[in-house]
Amino acid sequence: QKEVEQNSGPLSVPEGAIASLNCTYSDRVSQSFFWYRQYSGKSPELIMSIYSNGDKEDGRFTAQLNKASQYVSLLIRDSQPSDSATYLCAVNRGFQKLVFGTGTRLLVSP
Amino acid sequence: GAVVSQHPSWVICKSGTSVKIECRSLDFQATTMFWYRQFPKQSLMLMATSNEGSKATYEQGVEKDKFLINHASLTLSTLTVTSAHPEDSSFYICSARDSSSSAYEQYFGPGTRLTVT
């Protein structure tokens, strides 16, 4: 079992819809969780971090964390074609380094 | 805030030569920086953790004599690919963690695309 698992996609949604990206992790001691966006040929960009159970909203983005289920998700409301990218889930277990999932490719069609 | 730069953004070198890549945190101090490699259509692979003033910690399977890391200051880490070969051609990305923050966010540089001919 991989430490951080994501569906590779692609996840296709029409413009204006809600995109829901999911991530599960295996290590229960994981403490902090991050979502990065990576456009093709570019480096990852941090879009959300979440540390406690529940929802965290930032603009069109909402991160959801459920530590009991070892599950973290990212919702993108009013999806735009410019949101088309690969979304990487990353988990920190209390040490310096992050463990990344392989990413979910999101396609938002006009 | 939290800007990380890398130089060069791309480099082409001949097989057998060495290439140095710089990673700088521009508006924060970074005791710890990370070096990743990414092959086309693959995920990030952590190569090593760079610690200011001490030796880098390499991930399993990464040759430390081939990928030399120097973290000489709180804002600069360098990765030198020694005796580069075509199979070292990849996208090299650094990230940095803000030393003043208790959080574990990593901020990525724009990456360096290395092509070895």
Side-chain angles (χ1 to χ4, degrees):
Chain A
Q1 182 185 9
K2 292 180 181 176
E3 281 198 66
V4 180
E5 295 214 48
Q6 296 181 256
N7 187 318
S8 61
L11 172 66
S12 295
V13 299
E15 184 175 358
I18 296 175
S20 177
L21 303 157
N22 305 314
C23 171
T24 58
Y25 59 94
S26 61
D27 195 334
R28 285 193 172 274
V29 303
S30 298
Q31 298 180 354
S32 45
F33 308 85
F34 308 91
W35 283 100
Y36 286 83
R37 176 175 62 197
Q38 187 175 24
Y39 291 111
S40 181
K42 303 293 186 182
S43 66
E45 172 192 9
L46 178 65
I47 52 174
M48 289 286 286
S49 58
I50 186 166
Y51 300 94
S52 53
N53 279 328
D55 294 0
K56 179 181 178 182
E57 187 174 316
D58 184 0
R60 295 187 296 114
F61 299 99
T62 298
Q64 299 175 318
L65 175 61
N66 184 326
K67 290 187 177 181
S69 301
Q70 295 174 241
Y71 176 94
V72 57
S73 65
L74 179 70
L75 301 178
I76 306 175
R77 289 181 298 282
D78 188 24
S79 295
Q80 301 296 309
S82 58
D83 294 325
S84 298
T86 297
Y87 289 80
L88 302 170
C89 172
V91 172
N92 175 271
R93 293 182 286 138
F95 301 104
Q96 299 270 28
K97 62 184 182 182
L98 299 180
V99 179
F100 283 86
T102 53
T104 298
R105 188 167 159 234
L106 173 66
L107 296 175
V108 182
S109 54
Chain B
V3 179
V4 177
S5 70
Q6 268 184 257
H7 178 80
S9 54
W10 60 270
V11 58
I12 301 172
C13 71
K14 291 184 184 291
S15 188
T17 61
S18 296
V19 173
K20 180 186 281 189
I21 302 169
E22 291 187 350
C23 177
R24 293 181 186 273
S25 56
L26 298 186
D27 52 0
F28 63 99
Q29 293 185 331
T31 309
T32 305
M33 293 184 174
F34 305 86
W35 288 95
Y36 294 85
R37 181 167 57 180
Q38 188 174 38
F39 293 105
K41 299 193 186 302
Q42 294 188 24
S43 189
L44 293 170
M45 188 195 85
L46 177 66
M47 299 176 66
T49 301
S50 169
N51 300 294
E52 187 267 336
S54 64
K55 290 183 179 181
T57 303
Y58 291 82
E59 295 298 301
Q60 193 171 6
V62 177
E63 301 174 58
K64 57 184 173 184
D65 294 331
K66 180 171 181 62
F67 299 99
L68 302 179
I69 292 171
N70 185 4
H71 194 151
S73 78
L74 288 173
T75 59
L76 173 64
S77 175
T78 60
L79 168 70
T80 301
V81 183
T82 63
S83 186
H85 291 284
E87 56 265 32
D88 298 323
S89 298
S90 188
F91 191 38
Y92 291 85
I93 316 172
C94 72
S95 70
R97 185 177 159 248
D98 187 342
S99 302
S100 66
S101 171
S102 59
Y104 287 99
E105 286 98 345
Q106 290 181 23
Y107 300 95
F108 283 85
T112 296
R113 200 162 297 280
L114 170 63
T115 301
V116 184
T117 61

